[in-house]
Amino acid sequence: MQPLKSMHIDACVGQIAKTVLMPGDPLRSKYIAETYLENPVLVNNIRGVQGYTGSWKGVPVTVMASGMGMPSMGIYSWELYSVYDVDNIIRVGSAGAIREDIKLMDIVFAQGASTAGGYINAFDLPGIYAPIADYTLLSTAVGVAREHGIDPKVGAVLSEDNFYHLDGTVNKKWQSVGVLAIEMEAAALYINAAYHKKRALAICTVSDQLVTGEKLPNDKRQMGFNQMMEIALDTAVAMAGK
Ligand code: HPA
């Protein structure tokens, strides 16, 4: 009999941990595995979407890339929940801040993820769905961030389909209803988690300040990413058994 695998992930069922951390970029996944995990094993490399399972502080953790955008995150998180029975997915990404009080290097915990539609429309709901993070995962991660000496920025993000806009007023409109930052994956992750009765959270380091036009230089980008990763890894440990 063939081992059970999903369509886009080459790992056998049982090779993926209960908590999966998902950066957008496959090279980030490799970096996390090599920098943090004990005994990392490559469990997926279809389309170069590298996934590794190892352990952190004795707890099994998988890191696998999501790719960019909701269609890509939608596929991988769906298969992780439904085929591999993953309990927790934590996106570890970057975001562009659209409020002036959200600074470069801040870490945004996406309590909710508004979106213009696209991915979530396929669920054909009779109204406008509000994608939200799992409360246990969110509150655990916020507690871990505070223990790390980080002031977590908890609030709404926008998961958008278009990185480039023809209409320059879009960010201002979302900012007027309190959205902190823009990214491109959280809403798809959240609705998939809800549909499969699983947990999800997106954490993003602010790499771009879209009000002032500032951008994180490369060395700071790495430093911000490491801080966020350590919070996500310790959250995976804190979630074991929850
Ligand atoms: N838009 C969407 N996603 C992002 C951005 C942005 O400006 N910066 C980092 N991720």
Side-chain angles (χ1 to χ4, degrees):
M1 216 174 72
Q2 291 285 323
L4 184 58
K5 296 178 175 185
S6 70
M7 190 178 286
H8 302 92
I9 303 173
D10 204 31
C12 299
V13 166
Q15 285 188 306
I16 303 237
K18 286 291 174 196
T19 298
V20 179
L21 310 187
M22 300 192 86
D25 178 353
L27 291 181
R28 280 267 156 94
S29 173
K30 183 172 176 350
Y31 170 84
I32 297 162
E34 288 173 352
T35 309
Y36 294 104
L37 296 188
E38 282 156 40
N39 306 316
V41 175
L42 183 71
V43 293
N44 184 53
N45 205 8
I46 296 183
R47 292 173 185 250
V49 172
Q50 300 184 45
Y52 296 83
T53 298
S55 64
W56 171 252
K57 300 183 179 173
V59 173
V61 177
T62 297
V63 290
M64 193 179 94
S66 68
M68 281 190 285
M70 288 188 270
S72 184
M73 170 58 96
I75 289 171
Y76 293 117
S77 58
W78 185 279
E79 293 181 11
L80 288 170
Y81 288 134
S82 64
V83 178
Y84 295 93
D85 200 24
V86 164
D87 289 336
N88 310 303
I89 296 180
I90 307 176
R91 159 166 157 71
V92 279
S94 61
I98 58 172
R99 256 176 39 179
E100 236 161 329
D101 58 317
I102 305 294
K103 309 286 185 206
L104 292 179
M105 291 283 279
D106 276 355
I107 304 180
V108 172
F109 292 68
Q111 185 177 13
S114 294
T115 181
Y119 189 85
I120 74 168
N121 284 352
F123 289 77
D124 198 20
L125 297 164
I128 299 172
Y129 182 68
I132 55 167
D134 173 78
Y135 182 74
T136 304
L137 197 48
L138 174 62
S139 56
T140 302
V142 164
V144 169
R146 293 206 171 108
E147 282 165 20
H148 284 230
I150 302 289
D151 174 26
K153 308 293 180 196
V154 182
V157 301
L158 169 67
S159 301
E160 63 180 358
D161 287 332
N162 297 58
F163 187 89
Y164 299 104
H165 290 283
L166 300 179
D167 175 358
T169 67
V170 169
N171 292 354
K172 259 205 154 9
K173 289 179 185 163
W174 287 104
Q175 190 237 55
S176 77
V177 288
V179 171
L180 308 180
I182 301 181
E183 55 84 72
M184 304 186 79
E185 290 82 15
L189 173 61
Y190 288 2
I191 197 168
N192 277 355
Y195 186 80
H196 290 105
K197 303 188 171 40
K198 302 286 197 174
R199 292 175 160 150
L201 173 65
I203 311 176
C204 296
T205 305
V206 174
S207 57
D208 305 282
Q209 221 308 340
L210 301 174
V211 183
T212 62
E214 297 162 276
K215 285 184 181 306
L216 266 190
N218 279 347
D219 55 328
K220 283 247 171 109
R221 222 167 248 261
Q222 194 58 52
M223 199 202 300
F225 184 75
N226 286 357
Q227 265 180 346
M228 174 177 61
M229 268 326 302
E230 288 161 26
I231 294 168
L233 285 163
D234 282 349
T235 301
V237 172
M239 288 300 294
K242 275 196 189 173

